[in-house]
Amino acid sequence: MILIEDTTIPDAALPVDEFKAHLRLGTGFGDENLADSVLRGFLRAAIAAIEARTTKVLIARDFTWTLSFWRDRAAQSLPVAPVGSVASITLVDVAGVETVVDGAGYRLEADSQCPRVRPIGGLLPMVPSNGEVRIAFVAGMSADWGGLPADLGQAVLLLAAHYHEFRHETALSDGCMPFGVTSLIQRYRLVRISLGAGL
C-alpha cells in the first residue's frame, strides 16, 4: 500500500504571521520576511508530524492510495480522515492497462475516524491478478488555516516552535514531541480496540 500526496499545502495556507507572533519575533525591521521560508518549513514539519500521529489531514489536499488487494470487498477503509470526496477508483492490470470504475458503483461512507469506500449493491470490483487499484480522493479538515479546530492549530504552533527552539539539537530527549502537543492532539488519535486475553 502506497499513499501519495498529490498536492501540497499552499504557502498562503500556512499561518506564518501567527507563528511569528507565537515566537515573539521582532517586527518593523526591513529584513523581517527573510526567514519566512524557514518558518514555513517548521510549520510543514509540525503539520506532517501531527497528521502522522493522528491520521487526520489538517489542510485539504489530493491523495492517491494504491493497493494490491482489498482488505474487504464489502467496505475498504481509507488510510486518513476526514475524506471529503472520492474522485476516482482505477483498476490497473499487470500490463499497466487502466480501467476506471463507474462512480455509480460505489459511495463514500464519511466518518471522522475511519472513512470507507462501499459498493452500491454487491461487492467492490475484483483487483486484477498481479495488478493494483488506485483510489484518488480529497481529504482534510479545512481548506485553510482559519477553519481548523483551535486545539489542532495551537498544537501545530507549539510543535513548530519546539522544532524552531531545538533546531540545532540532535539528542532524542530534546527532539521528542512535547507533552502539551500530545495532550492537544489526543482526542483526534484513532483508538484501536482489540480483545484482550482476559475478555
Side-chain angles (χ1 to χ4, degrees):
M1 292 180 275
I2 301 171
L3 180 65
I4 297 174
E5 186 178 316
D6 295 320
T7 56
T8 59
I9 301 172
D11 285 350
L14 295 171
V16 175
D17 290 337
E18 291 92 330
F19 189 34
K20 286 179 179 178
H22 183 83
L23 294 174
R24 298 178 182 169
L25 295 181
T27 59
F29 303 99
D31 60 353
E32 65 187 57
N33 294 325
L34 291 179
D36 284 5
S37 62
V38 175
L39 298 179
R40 283 193 292 268
F42 289 129
L43 287 167
R44 288 183 187 281
I47 289 170
I50 289 171
E51 289 181 342
R53 286 279 182 106
T54 62
T55 68
K56 305 297 181 295
V57 178
L58 304 188
I59 304 297
R61 49 203 191 274
D62 300 331
F63 293 86
T64 301
W65 193 35
T66 303
L67 302 157
S68 54
F69 60 90
W70 302 112
R71 288 186 180 268
D72 184 348
R73 289 182 63 205
Q76 175 61 60
S77 297
L78 296 171
V80 293
V83 173
S85 63
V86 174
S88 65
I89 296 178
T90 305
L91 303 172
V92 185
D93 69 17
V94 69
V97 177
E98 300 183 0
T99 304
V100 178
V101 177
D102 184 357
Y106 61 87
R107 66 181 177 85
L108 171 65
E109 182 181 277
D111 186 276
S112 63
Q113 293 291 339
C114 189
R116 297 172 185 85
V117 173
R118 286 195 181 274
I120 298 177
L123 300 171
L124 292 167
M126 289 285 294
V127 178
S129 179
N130 297 315
E132 61 189 24
V133 58
R134 295 179 193 149
I135 305 173
F137 60 91
V138 179
M141 291 186 166
S142 175
D144 56 34
W145 181 259
L148 284 180
D151 50 359
L152 283 177
Q154 183 65 19
V156 169
L157 293 178
L158 285 173
L159 186 56
H162 182 74
Y163 290 159
H164 181 268
E165 178 71 20
F166 293 101
R167 61 192 177 277
H168 301 299
E169 296 290 336
T170 57
L172 183 60
S173 61
D174 291 332
C176 293
M177 190 171 283
F179 173 75
V181 175
T182 57
S183 63
L184 285 169
I185 67 173
Q186 185 61 37
R187 74 184 182 107
Y188 296 96
R189 297 187 72 180
L190 180 61
V191 178
R192 301 189 185 278
I193 300 173
S194 60
L195 295 177
L199 298 178

